[in-house]
Amino acid sequence: QSVLTQPPSASGTPGQRVTISCSGSSSNIGSNHVYWYQQLPGTAPKLLIYRNNQRPSGVPDRFSGSKSGTSASLAISGLRSEDEADYYCAAWDDSLSGPGVFGGGTKLTVL
Amino acid sequence: QITLKESGPTLVKPTQTLTLTCTFSGFSLSTSGVGVGWIRQPPGKALEWLALIYWNDDKRYSPSLKSRLTITKDTSKNQVVLTMTNMDPVDTATYYCALTYYYDPGWFDPWGQGTLVTVSS
């Protein structure tokens, strides 16, 4: 069981807007930044969103992140077939002395 | 261009010690604020942070694996080494290393291609 909770699956049709949620607690999301990673099939993860809502260079503005309290969301607008991937949220956790925590991942299917 | 690449054995026996090396280019681990982290992913499962090391030799370990992990750096060789003792079949996973930053601790990018380690007798 992951410290951060994500729905195991999500889906949408091309052009739609989908959101993926990530729920945590006061020691992680509630007091630290949230990061989102995209993992395309058979590849290494890639940073998609950092510091809750910032996009690294090269990430399309179709991807956006938000945070409120102890929850965060990733939104993908104008869904494309190439967005089909696993998405993970992550955050530092003040209650741990370790590196941080990931969510369990959400598999996004483009129908 | 920043690149990282993991290397090490693909098969280890239960109870053995795993040693993985992350060789990187395009940045220096002597630069203030820079770090390298290890993350693993069992087949079909989620990502799990293992350990981090920063430019100042500050080290962080997953609390659940801390007793089995050691992370070190060789700045002159641009390498970070992770050792994990007492390997078990549940440790079968793809192991990744990635660039991180002390002042942005959730940032892991770019990542290496990963190396699949199987634990089996």
Side-chain angles (χ1 to χ4, degrees), chain B residues 96-116:
Chain B
Y96 297 98
C97 62
L99 170 65
T100 187
Y101 298 99
Y102 185 83
Y103 301 107
D104 212 343
W107 175 296
F108 285 87
D109 197 75
W111 296 52
Q113 64 188 26
T115 184
L116 176 62

mmCIF file of all heavy atoms in Angstrom, chain B residues 96-116:
data_model
loop_
_atom_site.group_PDB
_atom_site.id
_atom_site.type_symbol
_atom_site.label_atom_id
_atom_site.label_comp_id
_atom_site.label_asym_id
_atom_site.label_seq_id
_atom_site.Cartn_x
_atom_site.Cartn_y
_atom_site.Cartn_z
ATOM 1 N N TYR B 96 16.446 2.044 -11.191
ATOM 2 C CA TYR B 96 16.762 3.271 -11.925
ATOM 3 C C TYR B 96 17.585 4.221 -11.061
ATOM 4 O O TYR B 96 17.402 4.279 -9.843
ATOM 5 C CB TYR B 96 15.485 4.029 -12.292
ATOM 6 C CG TYR B 96 14.508 3.345 -13.207
ATOM 7 C CD1 TYR B 96 13.392 2.683 -12.703
ATOM 8 C CD2 TYR B 96 14.661 3.399 -14.593
ATOM 9 C CE1 TYR B 96 12.464 2.081 -13.536
ATOM 10 C CE2 TYR B 96 13.735 2.805 -15.446
ATOM 11 C CZ TYR B 96 12.643 2.153 -14.907
ATOM 12 O OH TYR B 96 11.721 1.568 -15.744
ATOM 13 N N CYS B 97 18.456 4.991 -11.709
ATOM 14 C CA CYS B 97 19.047 6.141 -11.037
ATOM 15 C C CYS B 97 18.599 7.394 -11.782
ATOM 16 O O CYS B 97 18.238 7.336 -12.963
ATOM 17 C CB CYS B 97 20.568 6.046 -10.958
ATOM 18 S SG CYS B 97 21.451 6.009 -12.531
ATOM 19 N N ALA B 98 18.593 8.518 -11.066
ATOM 20 C CA ALA B 98 18.103 9.764 -11.651
ATOM 21 C C ALA B 98 18.748 10.964 -10.966
ATOM 22 O O ALA B 98 19.171 10.891 -9.805
ATOM 23 C CB ALA B 98 16.578 9.849 -11.515
ATOM 24 N N LEU B 99 18.803 12.058 -11.687
ATOM 25 C CA LEU B 99 19.325 13.310 -11.158
ATOM 26 C C LEU B 99 18.281 13.964 -10.257
ATOM 27 O O LEU B 99 17.093 13.984 -10.588
ATOM 28 C CB LEU B 99 19.667 14.250 -12.313
ATOM 29 C CG LEU B 99 20.015 15.702 -11.983
ATOM 30 C CD1 LEU B 99 21.311 15.778 -11.169
ATOM 31 C CD2 LEU B 99 20.139 16.521 -13.268
ATOM 32 N N THR B 100 18.717 14.499 -9.123
ATOM 33 C CA THR B 100 17.826 15.223 -8.246
ATOM 34 C C THR B 100 18.552 16.447 -7.693
ATOM 35 O O THR B 100 19.739 16.655 -7.959
ATOM 36 C CB THR B 100 17.320 14.323 -7.108
ATOM 37 O OG1 THR B 100 16.319 15.020 -6.358
ATOM 38 C CG2 THR B 100 18.451 13.921 -6.166
ATOM 39 N N TYR B 101 17.817 17.261 -6.952
ATOM 40 C CA TYR B 101 18.367 18.478 -6.401
ATOM 41 C C TYR B 101 17.972 18.625 -4.934
ATOM 42 O O TYR B 101 16.834 18.363 -4.557
ATOM 43 C CB TYR B 101 17.874 19.707 -7.192
ATOM 44 C CG TYR B 101 18.298 19.692 -8.635
ATOM 45 C CD1 TYR B 101 17.428 19.261 -9.632
ATOM 46 C CD2 TYR B 101 19.586 20.085 -9.011
ATOM 47 C CE1 TYR B 101 17.820 19.231 -10.963
ATOM 48 C CE2 TYR B 101 19.979 20.052 -10.331
ATOM 49 C CZ TYR B 101 19.091 19.625 -11.307
ATOM 50 O OH TYR B 101 19.489 19.588 -12.619
ATOM 51 N N TYR B 102 18.918 19.083 -4.147
ATOM 52 C CA TYR B 102 18.688 19.231 -2.710
ATOM 53 C C TYR B 102 17.538 20.196 -2.433
ATOM 54 O O TYR B 102 16.742 19.973 -1.518
ATOM 55 C CB TYR B 102 19.970 19.738 -2.053
ATOM 56 C CG TYR B 102 19.919 19.818 -0.556
ATOM 57 C CD1 TYR B 102 20.158 18.690 0.224
ATOM 58 C CD2 TYR B 102 19.637 21.028 0.089
ATOM 59 C CE1 TYR B 102 20.129 18.753 1.593
ATOM 60 C CE2 TYR B 102 19.603 21.099 1.465
ATOM 61 C CZ TYR B 102 19.859 19.957 2.217
ATOM 62 O OH TYR B 102 19.812 20.025 3.575
ATOM 63 N N TYR B 103 17.453 21.262 -3.215
ATOM 64 C CA TYR B 103 16.446 22.293 -2.974
ATOM 65 C C TYR B 103 15.150 22.022 -3.737
ATOM 66 O O TYR B 103 14.233 22.848 -3.718
ATOM 67 C CB TYR B 103 17.020 23.665 -3.318
ATOM 68 C CG TYR B 103 18.238 23.961 -2.484
ATOM 69 C CD1 TYR B 103 19.515 23.944 -3.047
ATOM 70 C CD2 TYR B 103 18.134 24.221 -1.117
ATOM 71 C CE1 TYR B 103 20.635 24.182 -2.273
ATOM 72 C CE2 TYR B 103 19.248 24.459 -0.343
ATOM 73 C CZ TYR B 103 20.499 24.436 -0.933
ATOM 74 O OH TYR B 103 21.610 24.672 -0.162
ATOM 75 N N ASP B 104 15.071 20.876 -4.395
ATOM 76 C CA ASP B 104 13.849 20.449 -5.097
ATOM 77 C C ASP B 104 13.784 18.940 -4.976
ATOM 78 O O ASP B 104 13.914 18.203 -5.968
ATOM 79 C CB ASP B 104 13.907 20.866 -6.565
ATOM 80 C CG ASP B 104 12.534 21.177 -7.127
ATOM 81 O OD1 ASP B 104 11.527 20.766 -6.514
ATOM 82 O OD2 ASP B 104 12.461 21.835 -8.196
ATOM 83 N N PRO B 105 13.597 18.437 -3.759
ATOM 84 C CA PRO B 105 13.834 17.020 -3.480
ATOM 85 C C PRO B 105 12.912 16.047 -4.181
ATOM 86 O O PRO B 105 13.213 14.860 -4.216
ATOM 87 C CB PRO B 105 13.665 16.940 -1.949
ATOM 88 C CG PRO B 105 12.826 18.103 -1.590
ATOM 89 C CD PRO B 105 13.192 19.186 -2.550
ATOM 90 N N GLY B 106 11.802 16.512 -4.744
ATOM 91 C CA GLY B 106 10.940 15.592 -5.470
ATOM 92 C C GLY B 106 11.262 15.506 -6.944
ATOM 93 O O GLY B 106 10.668 14.731 -7.689
ATOM 94 N N TRP B 107 12.220 16.333 -7.364
ATOM 95 C CA TRP B 107 12.622 16.365 -8.781
ATOM 96 C C TRP B 107 13.537 15.186 -9.057
ATOM 97 O O TRP B 107 14.605 15.068 -8.474
ATOM 98 C CB TRP B 107 13.337 17.683 -9.091
ATOM 99 C CG TRP B 107 13.894 17.748 -10.485
ATOM 100 C CD1 TRP B 107 14.873 16.971 -11.032
ATOM 101 C CD2 TRP B 107 13.519 18.671 -11.497
ATOM 102 N NE1 TRP B 107 15.116 17.348 -12.319
ATOM 103 C CE2 TRP B 107 14.306 18.398 -12.637
ATOM 104 C CE3 TRP B 107 12.601 19.719 -11.563
ATOM 105 C CZ2 TRP B 107 14.187 19.122 -13.819
ATOM 106 C CZ3 TRP B 107 12.487 20.443 -12.736
ATOM 107 C CH2 TRP B 107 13.269 20.145 -13.854
ATOM 108 N N PHE B 108 13.147 14.290 -9.942
ATOM 109 C CA PHE B 108 13.988 13.215 -10.427
ATOM 110 C C PHE B 108 13.891 13.232 -11.955
ATOM 111 O O PHE B 108 12.916 12.804 -12.533
ATOM 112 C CB PHE B 108 13.546 11.853 -9.887
ATOM 113 C CG PHE B 108 13.914 11.652 -8.454
ATOM 114 C CD1 PHE B 108 13.063 12.095 -7.453
ATOM 115 C CD2 PHE B 108 15.118 11.090 -8.099
ATOM 116 C CE1 PHE B 108 13.410 11.947 -6.128
ATOM 117 C CE2 PHE B 108 15.471 10.932 -6.768
ATOM 118 C CZ PHE B 108 14.619 11.366 -5.784
ATOM 119 N N ASP B 109 14.904 13.789 -12.571
ATOM 120 C CA ASP B 109 14.908 13.871 -14.024
ATOM 121 C C ASP B 109 16.229 14.455 -14.499
ATOM 122 O O ASP B 109 16.679 15.450 -13.907
ATOM 123 C CB ASP B 109 13.763 14.768 -14.502
ATOM 124 C CG ASP B 109 13.437 14.572 -15.978
ATOM 125 O OD1 ASP B 109 12.808 13.543 -16.311
ATOM 126 O OD2 ASP B 109 13.827 15.422 -16.780
ATOM 127 N N PRO B 110 16.842 13.872 -15.502
ATOM 128 C CA PRO B 110 16.387 12.685 -16.208
ATOM 129 C C PRO B 110 16.702 11.390 -15.453
ATOM 130 O O PRO B 110 17.401 11.420 -14.439
ATOM 131 C CB PRO B 110 17.165 12.749 -17.523
ATOM 132 C CG PRO B 110 18.448 13.410 -17.139
ATOM 133 C CD PRO B 110 18.097 14.421 -16.079
ATOM 134 N N TRP B 111 16.167 10.324 -15.972
ATOM 135 C CA TRP B 111 16.377 8.983 -15.426
ATOM 136 C C TRP B 111 17.283 8.187 -16.359
ATOM 137 O O TRP B 111 17.349 8.464 -17.567
ATOM 138 C CB TRP B 111 15.045 8.232 -15.307
ATOM 139 C CG TRP B 111 14.067 8.844 -14.355
ATOM 140 C CD1 TRP B 111 13.631 10.144 -14.323
ATOM 141 C CD2 TRP B 111 13.357 8.174 -13.311
ATOM 142 N NE1 TRP B 111 12.706 10.320 -13.318
ATOM 143 C CE2 TRP B 111 12.510 9.130 -12.685
ATOM 144 C CE3 TRP B 111 13.340 6.866 -12.836
ATOM 145 C CZ2 TRP B 111 11.669 8.811 -11.598
ATOM 146 C CZ3 TRP B 111 12.501 6.550 -11.768
ATOM 147 C CH2 TRP B 111 11.683 7.514 -11.160
ATOM 148 N N GLY B 112 17.942 7.191 -15.789
ATOM 149 C CA GLY B 112 18.635 6.224 -16.619
ATOM 150 C C GLY B 112 17.618 5.283 -17.249
ATOM 151 O O GLY B 112 16.423 5.347 -16.949
ATOM 152 N N GLN B 113 18.094 4.419 -18.095
ATOM 153 C CA GLN B 113 17.206 3.481 -18.781
ATOM 154 C C GLN B 113 16.699 2.381 -17.875
ATOM 155 O O GLN B 113 15.716 1.702 -18.174
ATOM 156 C CB GLN B 113 17.925 2.861 -19.981
ATOM 157 C CG GLN B 113 19.139 2.012 -19.591
ATOM 158 C CD GLN B 113 19.962 1.570 -20.787
ATOM 159 O OE1 GLN B 113 19.961 2.217 -21.831
ATOM 160 N NE2 GLN B 113 20.689 0.470 -20.641
ATOM 161 N N GLY B 114 17.374 2.186 -16.747
ATOM 162 C CA GLY B 114 16.998 1.144 -15.806
ATOM 163 C C GLY B 114 17.707 -0.167 -16.100
ATOM 164 O O GLY B 114 18.094 -0.448 -17.243
ATOM 165 N N THR B 115 17.867 -0.952 -15.044
ATOM 166 C CA THR B 115 18.455 -2.269 -15.194
ATOM 167 C C THR B 115 17.612 -3.272 -14.400
ATOM 168 O O THR B 115 17.314 -3.045 -13.223
ATOM 169 C CB THR B 115 19.924 -2.301 -14.731
ATOM 170 O OG1 THR B 115 20.471 -3.600 -14.984
ATOM 171 C CG2 THR B 115 20.081 -1.991 -13.251
ATOM 172 N N LEU B 116 17.211 -4.339 -15.066
ATOM 173 C CA LEU B 116 16.377 -5.356 -14.426
ATOM 174 C C LEU B 116 17.249 -6.319 -13.642
ATOM 175 O O LEU B 116 18.167 -6.930 -14.206
ATOM 176 C CB LEU B 116 15.552 -6.105 -15.475
ATOM 177 C CG LEU B 116 14.702 -7.273 -14.951
ATOM 178 C CD1 LEU B 116 13.663 -6.790 -13.941
ATOM 179 C CD2 LEU B 116 14.027 -8.009 -16.113
#
